[in-house]
Amino acid sequence: MNTRHLIDPEVLPILELVPSVELNLQTLAQLRQIAPFAEALAPEQIPEVVHIRGPDGAPDVQLRIFKPRAQSASRPAIFHMHGGAYVSGSAAMMDLANAARAAEHNAVVASVDYRLAPEDRFPCAIEDCYAGLRWLADHAVQLGVDPDRIAIMGESAGGGLAAALALLARDRGGPKISAQFLIYPMLDHRTGGPDDVRQNRTIGEFVWTRQQNQFSWSCLRGNREIDADRIHHFSPSLAKNVGELPRCYMAVGSIDLFLEEDIDYALRLVRAGTAVEIHCYAGGVHSFDLATEAAVSRCFAADLANCLKRWL
């Protein structure tokens, strides 16, 4: 069915900015060559770049660290994971947002450049994220961070990694995570494929489609089976146990392909006794907030900033 009429009119320019093209290895290579639009950073916004030891002999993991000007011995931190469907993107493309967030919330923000699929398949990305979170927790004192106030955050694939990271940190007994901020997270590898358990045809027509979703998940997974005890670190929606997880902020557009998998996951967290705040934005396609001047995007930004202020 045609769902264009369901898109918020102020968000429609997103369709030109992020056209829905068939995703394959050739178009992925072209996508990666397109430098993401980014405004210049002021000198005080330029991050410190640190390289930490990669997991199990893997290449070093790069973290981009943003610190607020004000000195403190007990401030919060945000461990951030960028979007890009597990196959593209970089931490640098979120520099402006992360620098602003550090200043606004007097928080240290650490953004991780995790390895991408298909060159590096599961569990490379999540293990890079875990190594980065471990480093942040271990260096909390040096960074002036309260180790009990480390939150995790990500958009799209980064949101999926954040959800998986919360599960992995719980399974390994740490580091402690105070909250998880999941922005239209990519949680369920079945969505858009033959095993899709939802089959909602009013979502996923624009910006991020079923074909693109299945291609990206296949790149992350590869041809091998994933052990049952690790499947939820790959696809958080498949977690059998979602208990003992940090409180969760969830935001998603009403016609985003991820709408139902996100709401389902949020409801499972609620049933498991986790505090959840969830926002669904009418007329929002995937990444609708890129239309920054749209009223719905301003509402999205205000809601997220408000929850960060309350939970950090």
Side-chain angles (χ1 to χ4, degrees), residues 15-24 26-28 30-31 34 205-213 215-216:
L15 304 191
E16 301 299 325
L17 182 65
V18 189
S20 296
V21 297
E22 181 177 348
L23 200 54
N24 53 47
Q26 181 179 357
T27 56
L28 174 60
Q30 296 169 352
L31 173 66
I34 300 173
E205 181 180 0
F206 298 101
V207 179
W208 190 248
T209 66
R210 288 165 175 79
Q211 185 277 328
Q212 293 170 324
N213 200 52
F215 169 80
S216 296

Side-chain angles (χ1 to χ4, degrees), residues 203-280:
I203 59 177
E205 181 180 0
F206 298 101
V207 179
W208 190 248
T209 66
R210 288 165 175 79
Q211 185 277 328
Q212 293 170 324
N213 200 52
Q214 284 295 292
F215 169 80
S216 296
W217 278 112
S218 69
C219 287
L220 184 64
R221 182 169 194 160
N223 296 323
R224 67 180 182 86
E225 290 298 317
I226 296 173
D227 293 341
D229 62 349
R230 295 226 61 183
I231 191 66
H232 56 302
H233 303 151
F234 167 72
S235 183
S237 288
L238 272 63
K240 293 181 179 179
N241 174 16
V242 294
E244 301 179 67
L245 292 174
R247 56 189 172 179
C248 176
Y249 178 94
M250 180 89 73
V252 64
S254 67
I255 48 177
D256 190 323
L257 179 64
F258 301 149
L259 172 69
E260 290 203 22
E261 67 185 65
D262 290 354
I263 290 177
D264 286 352
Y265 192 72
L267 290 175
R268 290 187 63 203
L269 293 179
V270 170
R271 296 185 191 110
T274 296
V276 174
E277 179 169 330
I278 183 167
H279 296 261
C280 178

Side-chain angles (χ1 to χ4, degrees), residues 187-209:
L187 301 172
D188 195 334
H189 78 282
R190 301 168 297 181
T191 298
D195 298 325
D196 193 332
V197 296
R198 300 173 189 92
Q199 300 295 336
N200 182 345
R201 306 311 297 182
T202 66
I203 59 177
E205 181 180 0
F206 298 101
V207 179
W208 190 248
T209 66

Side-chain angles (χ1 to χ4, degrees), residues 77 79 133 136-137 140 145-152 176-179:
F79 185 75
L133 177 65
L136 178 59
V145 166
D146 181 347
D148 291 327
R149 298 169 66 197
I150 298 176
I152 60 176
K176 181 179 180 181
I177 297 170
S178 62

